[in-house]
Amino acid sequence: MTNTNQKRTLGEFIFDNQSSFPYSTGELSKLINAIRLAAKITNHEVNKAGLVDILGDAGNTNVQGEDQQKLDVYANEKFIQTLIQRGIVCGIASEEEEDFIAVNSIDGNNSNKYVVLIDPLDGSSNIDVNASVGTIFSIYRRISPLGSPVELRDFLQPGKNQVAAGYVMYGTSTMLVFTTGNGVNGFTLNPALGTFYHSHPNMQFPETGRIYSVNEGNYVHFSKGVKAYIKYCQKEEGDRPYTSRYIGAMVADFHRNLIKGGIYMYPRIGPKQNGKLRLTYECNPIAFLTEQAKGKATTGTKRILDIEPTELHQREAIFCGSVKMVEKLEEFILSED
Ligand code: P6P
């Protein structure tokens, strides 16, 4: 059993590193602390979801036309409430909300500087089967003038403008993994103490790996290049065949690949010509984490973080993970006729 008092708490890490945080005014630190609190509250509910009436459908659909799970709604409410209460953000966008939520500052002068975009519960179809789910968050500094209400353009910045991003994974243990642009660090919750400990310092993708993560049920819809790459992964040659692992929650697949090496893929497929995942609150934060962990994140032909979003819920294909694996995938896509 690791002696937790040998590891810094999340609070100590933030205190020790906040001078390196973008703008280092302390507000970003407060924002990450707000996410920490919301993660603990949500984790408490996720861990007992089977015991209380919070499993199953909420009986309505979200803006994506997807059945909302009760825990989707719960997590969405808790993250939004916690972020608003901290009085640091001027706006919040969520997968569960059609439009962004404008948040005025306590002084009433629209003086808050940050916007947050969240996928409050990624992989919620896993809830009822007790498989991992997660929360994904993305933080930008507003570009609209202080003193004025937040604008849609504040949320439609390219991913390379992010000042912080991360995820909470509610798995066999609950982890908070985030970056502020100086590498990626992971913190594990000690539920007995309600404290996150710095369990995974300086997380980095192995340059290559032997795990590929994709829903092979969509194989018939993949492009020739993606099909060719999957066959390459499966071919008995050199260090291949690779292992196929797909949990149905990007956060969980991403986290495993970050530790062991691997590639996560959600290509454009048939009816989902732009892919399934949402650019602003799924692909961009994951891509920022990927690059900060020395990995690569692409649409197959373009760096995710360079994309100029045009819609809040727009979808995008994503391939992310170990550099050598993503580069090999890109070779197959570029060579497809
Ligand atoms: P499919 C969850 O809905 C999600 O957005 C990702 O977390 C996950 O990797 C993917 O979609 C699963 O989608 O179509 O394979 O079930």
Side-chain angles (χ1 to χ4, degrees):
M1 174 69 183
T2 306
N3 180 344
T4 49
N5 64 23
Q6 289 169 348
K7 300 189 184 308
R8 282 184 297 181
T9 66
L10 173 57
E12 290 164 340
F13 175 87
I14 291 173
F15 181 80
D16 293 346
N17 290 277
Q18 68 180 353
S19 58
S20 67
F21 287 5
Y23 309 103
S24 66
T25 55
E27 288 167 311
L28 189 56
S29 303
K30 287 179 196 167
L31 194 39
I32 291 169
N33 275 315
I35 288 167
R36 167 179 63 173
L37 175 60
K40 283 165 56 174
I41 295 168
T42 303
N43 174 66
H44 183 68
E45 211 62 18
V46 165
N47 282 351
K48 65 177 185 178
L51 298 175
V52 296
D53 181 26
I54 201 163
L55 280 178
D57 289 353
N60 46 353
T61 57
N62 65 12
V63 293
Q64 326 289 338
E66 296 165 345
D67 291 339
Q68 272 187 321
Q69 303 292 309
K70 292 176 183 173
L71 213 47
D72 279 326
V73 175
Y74 179 87
N76 186 51
E77 288 169 359
K78 289 307 169 193
F79 272 87
I80 290 172
Q81 278 168 10
T82 309
L83 289 167
I84 291 174
Q85 282 161 6
R86 285 295 169 97
I88 305 154
V89 299
C90 58
I92 303 167
S94 168
E95 179 189 14
E96 303 303 327
E97 305 286 339
E98 183 155 8
D99 298 314
F100 64 83
I101 299 166
V103 182
N104 200 341
S105 47
I106 294 170
D107 63 13
N109 299 325
N110 287 306
S111 57
N112 293 343
K113 302 184 184 71
Y114 293 99
V115 295
V116 180
L117 299 91
I118 56 171
D119 177 359
L121 210 71
D122 171 62
S124 49
S125 59
N126 282 349
I127 293 167
D128 292 2
V129 296
N130 199 22
S132 295
V133 292
T135 298
I136 308 173
F137 62 90
S138 172
I139 302 173
Y140 294 84
R141 194 169 174 93
R142 69 182 301 180
I143 50 178
S144 56
L146 280 178
S148 64
V150 70
E151 300 172 24
L152 180 58
R153 64 188 174 115
D154 291 309
F155 299 90
L156 298 184
Q157 300 181 51
K160 60 191 170 190
N161 289 6
Q162 291 172 96
V163 292
Y167 57 83
V168 183
M169 191 171 83
Y170 311 99
T172 45
S173 59
T174 296
M175 282 194 71
L176 170 61
V177 177
F178 73 92
T179 180
T180 58
N182 291 290
V184 176
N185 286 279
F187 301 81
T188 300
L189 179 66
N190 179 334
L193 303 175
T195 304
F196 282 97
Y197 286 90
H198 193 196
S199 54
H200 294 68
N202 192 23
M203 298 180 82
Q204 293 187 5
F205 274 100
E207 191 180 34
T208 191
R210 299 189 61 256
I211 297 171
Y212 68 101
S213 305
V214 66
N215 182 343
E216 297 195 49
N218 294 322
Y219 183 86
V220 291
H221 298 302
F222 294 154
S223 70
K224 288 179 183 175
V226 173
K227 285 180 178 176
Y229 178 68
I230 290 172
K231 289 304 173 199
Y232 169 85
C233 293
Q234 295 169 344
K235 188 173 181 182
E236 195 152 23
E237 187 180 56
D239 63 344
R240 288 168 283 130
Y242 294 156
T243 296
S244 175
R245 287 283 183 275
Y246 191 72
I247 296 178
M250 175 167 61
V251 166
D253 283 315
F254 180 87
H255 186 77
R256 180 203 52 248
N257 293 350
L258 173 55
I259 292 170
K260 296 193 170 187
I263 182 171
Y264 172 90
M265 301 181 271
Y266 209 106
R268 291 182 176 82
I269 51 172
K272 297 169 184 164
Q273 261 316 306
N274 290 329
K276 175 186 179 185
L277 301 184
R278 270 67 69 169
L279 174 61
T280 57
Y281 41 79
E282 290 176 318
C283 297
N284 272 337
I286 289 298
F288 187 28
L289 287 162
T290 300
E291 293 195 2
Q292 285 291 311
K294 296 190 173 15
K296 187 167 188 178
T298 171
T299 64
T301 55
K302 184 172 183 179
R303 182 189 182 220
I304 294 272
L305 295 183
D306 286 338
I307 298 171
E308 294 282 349
T310 52
E311 295 169 28
L312 196 53
H313 299 287
Q314 80 182 65
R315 298 173 189 268
E316 190 50 80
I318 183 169
F319 303 88
C320 60
S322 297
V323 170
K324 296 289 188 199
M325 297 182 84
V326 175
E327 287 176 345
K328 176 58 77 174
L329 175 278
E330 287 178 315
E331 281 177 31
F332 279 100
I333 288 181
L334 286 173
S335 59
E336 67 185 21
D337 48 31

